[in-house]
Amino acid sequence: MMASEDFDFIVVGSGAAGLVAAITASRNGLKPLVIEKADRWGGTTATSGGVLWVPCNDLMNEQGTQDSAEAARTYLHNLIGADADERTRTKAEAFLENAPKMVRMLSGEGFRWFRTPDHPDYYPEVDGSGIGRTIESAPLDGNILGATFRSMRLAELDLPAINSGQFSSLTRAWTSPALLFDAARTAIMFKVRTWLGQKPLGNGRALAAALMRIVQARGIPVRLSTRLVDLVVEHERVTGIVVEHDGKRERLEAPAGVLLAAGGFSRNGALRKELQGRDQVWPNTIPEDEGDALRIAMAAGAATELTDDCWWMPSIQVTPDLNGLALGLRALPGGMIVNAKGKRYMNEARSYMTTGKVMHEHGASDERHWLIMDGPFLKRYIFAELSQKAIRQQMQDYGFLKQAATIRDLAIACDLDPDALETTVARFNGFARNGRDSDFGRGDSVYDRYWADPLHHPNPSLGEISRPPYWAAVIRPGDLGTNGGLKTDAQARVLDLDGKPIAGLHAAGNGSGSPFARTYPGAGATIAAAATFGYLAAMSAASRKNDRPV
């Protein structure tokens, strides 16, 4: 993509972790090269919501929102647990200290941030939790990248450039004139900008494009369709890599080091079987998320951690190979999730990380669990998949969506115990009328209510399932990628089996162990961790080079 290819630091992967690392390296005197296995750049970042969870970020301070490093520290240390070892605690501290610095550094490069002020953390009951710690890229025009835009992942997608705070309100557009007006205005502005020749970008595409704009401005070379084949190790130090492009292999020297930021292994069935013991998985990542870098580093002696876990995301099954993310779908009034016996077993409105994990623990990876809904639910709210008649028909053709005139008939169609499902629905409807879920507390927390319907009473997350036709959709414990991988320290250095840093080798993103252990603190925690440890990796590499005798 770029003409000049004079480099000394190699970044493997072109998502948030890789691009932030390349920018940081360039700012600190290194000459980075980015390589990308796919023929498109942006990684899973470009397909994501594009938000970052950054406590005490500058936008909070500028907008007068109270937050403190101590509160964030209390929250995060409560999540990772008192039994966390020193390295895990140190990584968490490194994130808290450096995430705001990373954001500030990007601002200095012209990055325009936007903050969602009312998004709660994912565990509001935990001491130190906050609201409004999530930030994202401001929408932008993809044309600013010139020809490079055409090779961005999902460049061809035509969607309005919305921010993350609009996801919930657009889902509820039919419920009030004000929300409908906002949705119409969003659609009209998209049409106008498109007519003017712009390519409006929001969410993950905006984040990826904003980072690539800085990469371009700094003249950082990016090679696409370039696959990592091996690490070059000399005198117990990683000094370069071997890549393959168009069937030809080439050795690339990296005297300042290598950063592995190539994602996790969610799409590698063999690795998921080996490391997680799972035969059935439902990833929502890009096809290239196959764990190449993980395998290669392990062969070079790298240690691993948390490889048995993932970033859980409940997902409705659309086709055998396609899922739909279940966000507001689980929290809005008029729906509930049941197991293969037709019984509820959790608060469906909790964070996707918690809900997906609970689903897996209750057998949803081995049997069909169902999202039960009534007719008004699908008419009142707007969903990417279920609101489209053609997709509903496709799901029905595959057996992933059922419809019936009665709850009893719906149970029979889903191969559930009719008496059990009727009893479950009747109990749930009683909770909805009273406004209190006596079994699991759905709708009690500020997070439950964030995705719910504030115009519905008495509980914005509980609504009766009482009007036909009745629907049931297969819902799976999907994921947004793996959250374990190469074992790293607070400088993103990869550790060997003895716990010592492998000289010249760093890792960040889903291919490394999460600084949050097995938890997901808030919206954008995955990308924030990836970007922050990409930043730390580049700082570490630059520091080592600058300190090295000439």
Side-chain angles (χ1 to χ4, degrees):
M1 290 170 59
M2 314 289 183
S4 174
E5 288 207 344
D6 177 21
F7 55 86
D8 56 13
F9 179 65
I10 298 178
V11 176
V12 183
S14 64
L19 296 183
V20 169
I23 294 165
T24 308
S26 176
R27 283 174 57 96
N28 286 274
L30 297 181
K31 294 176 287 185
L33 164 70
V34 178
I35 70 163
E36 168 58 53
K37 168 183 173 181
D39 60 0
R40 295 193 169 199
W41 56 269
T44 296
T45 296
T47 71
S48 72
V51 298
L52 292 80
W53 184 76
V54 182
C56 300
N57 63 74
D58 288 349
L59 273 72
M60 299 182 78
N61 297 329
E62 293 167 4
Q63 296 167 11
T65 300
Q66 294 283 339
D67 197 11
S68 72
E70 188 55 39
R73 182 174 296 106
T74 297
Y75 178 63
L76 195 49
H77 281 275
N78 281 337
L79 292 184
I80 64 176
D83 58 345
D85 61 22
E86 182 180 357
R87 181 185 59 85
T88 301
R89 291 193 300 272
T90 302
K91 284 181 66 174
E93 288 289 340
F95 170 81
L96 291 171
E97 179 182 349
N98 290 282
K101 294 179 181 178
M102 176 271 298
V103 169
R104 196 172 303 127
M105 179 270 292
L106 292 175
S107 296
E109 293 288 324
F111 195 108
R112 293 175 54 240
W113 294 101
F114 175 87
R115 174 172 164 264
T116 302
D118 59 348
H119 207 303
D121 287 347
Y122 284 178
Y123 306 86
E125 72 281 1
V126 175
D127 286 346
S129 66
I131 294 177
R133 289 168 168 167
T134 293
I135 59 175
E136 61 195 283
S137 170
L140 50 79
D141 179 5
N143 291 326
I144 62 173
L145 298 176
T148 299
F149 172 67
R150 293 196 294 271
S151 60
M152 184 180 80
R153 191 173 293 275
L154 297 185
E156 72 285 355
L157 198 62
D158 285 320
L159 286 176
I162 64 173
N163 61 67
S164 63
Q166 292 178 279
F167 285 139
S168 178
S169 61
L170 290 174
T171 299
R172 297 181 283 110
W174 294 126
T175 65
S176 81
L179 292 179
L180 185 59
F181 175 78
D182 182 63
R185 180 177 58 184
T186 299
I188 291 170
M189 290 305 298
F190 170 68
K191 292 293 185 182
V192 170
R193 291 189 176 111
T194 302
W195 180 77
L196 291 173
Q198 297 179 16
K199 185 66 178 182
L201 301 179
N203 309 123
R205 293 192 302 167
L207 174 60
L211 293 173
M212 181 55 75
R213 185 183 187 184
I214 302 172
V215 167
Q216 281 185 315
R218 288 193 156 271
I220 299 170
V222 179
R223 291 193 190 183
L224 301 181
S225 302
T226 302
R227 182 172 66 91
L228 175 68
V229 174
D230 205 355
L231 296 172
V232 177
V233 182
E234 297 177 324
H235 307 295
E236 299 184 340
R237 174 179 173 79
V238 174
T239 60
I241 61 175
V242 177
V243 299
E244 184 174 275
H245 175 75
D246 285 342
K248 297 180 180 179
R249 295 194 173 186
E250 178 184 5
R251 174 169 165 163
L252 303 177
E253 302 298 330
V258 173
L259 168 65
L260 302 179
F265 57 97
S266 66
R267 294 282 183 177
N268 189 319
L271 269 180
R272 296 199 76 164
K273 175 65 175 178
E274 175 188 345
L275 300 175
Q276 300 182 336
R278 298 183 64 190
D279 293 310
Q280 293 289 320
V281 293
W282 296 271
N284 293 284
T285 52
I286 60 175
E288 294 85 0
D289 196 48
E290 298 173 310
D292 296 0
L294 174 66
R295 288 188 300 98
I296 291 167
M298 289 172 64
T304 62
E305 61 177 335
L306 303 172
T307 54
D308 60 332
D309 209 352
C310 60
W311 302 111
W312 299 95
M313 169 58 78
S315 307
I316 59 169
Q317 184 110 42
V318 178
T319 73
D321 302 312
L322 179 65
N323 313 314
L325 307 185
L327 289 168
L329 194 59
R330 298 175 289 105
L332 288 162
M336 68 175 187
I337 294 174
V338 299
N339 60 18
K341 296 180 180 179
K343 298 180 179 181
R344 282 183 78 215
Y345 55 92
M346 64 175 174
N347 169 4
E348 299 92 338
R350 295 189 70 186
S351 76
Y352 41 86
M353 181 72 168
T354 299
T355 304
K357 185 177 292 189
V358 171
M359 288 179 64
H360 175 66
E361 291 169 352
H362 282 75
S365 294
D366 303 311
E367 60 190 22
R368 286 191 171 188
H369 289 199
W370 298 86
L371 174 66
I372 308 296
M373 307 159 281
D374 69 359
F377 181 83
L378 287 186
K379 289 184 177 180
R380 183 175 175 83
Y381 306 114
I382 302 171
F383 304 109
E385 293 83 20
L386 291 176
S387 293
Q388 299 186 55
K389 185 177 180 180
I391 295 181
R392 288 202 305 269
Q393 185 59 58
Q394 185 180 36
M395 293 174 67
Q396 287 179 287
D397 291 343
Y398 280 111
F400 298 140
L401 182 67
K402 306 289 186 179
Q403 181 190 34
T406 68
I407 291 296
R408 192 167 193 86
D409 289 340
L410 187 69
I412 293 170
C414 298
D415 198 25
L416 300 173
D417 182 332
D419 292 335
L421 186 60
E422 284 184 329
T423 299
T424 299
V425 170
R427 182 173 178 81
F428 183 81
N429 287 347
F431 295 156
R433 287 190 297 271
N434 296 331
R436 169 67 178 162
D437 178 4
S438 298
D439 286 340
F440 305 108
R442 175 169 159 182
D444 289 353
S445 80
V446 63
Y447 180 81
D448 293 0
R449 296 190 293 273
Y450 179 80
W451 287 103
D453 184 351
L455 298 180
H456 180 85
H457 302 286
N459 185 321
S461 188
L462 292 177
E464 290 189 62
I465 303 172
S466 58
R467 295 170 60 186
Y470 298 99
W471 298 85
V474 173
I475 187 164
R476 306 291 195 182
D479 63 71
L480 299 172
T482 48
N483 74 336
L486 298 174
K487 194 172 187 177
T488 57
D489 65 9
Q491 298 179 55
R493 297 179 299 182
V494 176
L495 305 179
D496 65 16
L497 298 177
D498 294 322
K500 298 177 180 179
I502 298 176
L505 187 61
H506 296 80
N510 284 358
S512 60
S514 167
F516 312 129
R518 300 182 185 277
T519 68
Y520 203 128
T526 52
I527 298 178
T532 301
F533 279 84
Y535 167 84
L536 285 167
M539 294 293 286
S540 173
S543 174
R544 184 192 176 282
K545 181 183 179 183
N546 293 336
D547 289 344
R548 189 169 54 215
V550 177

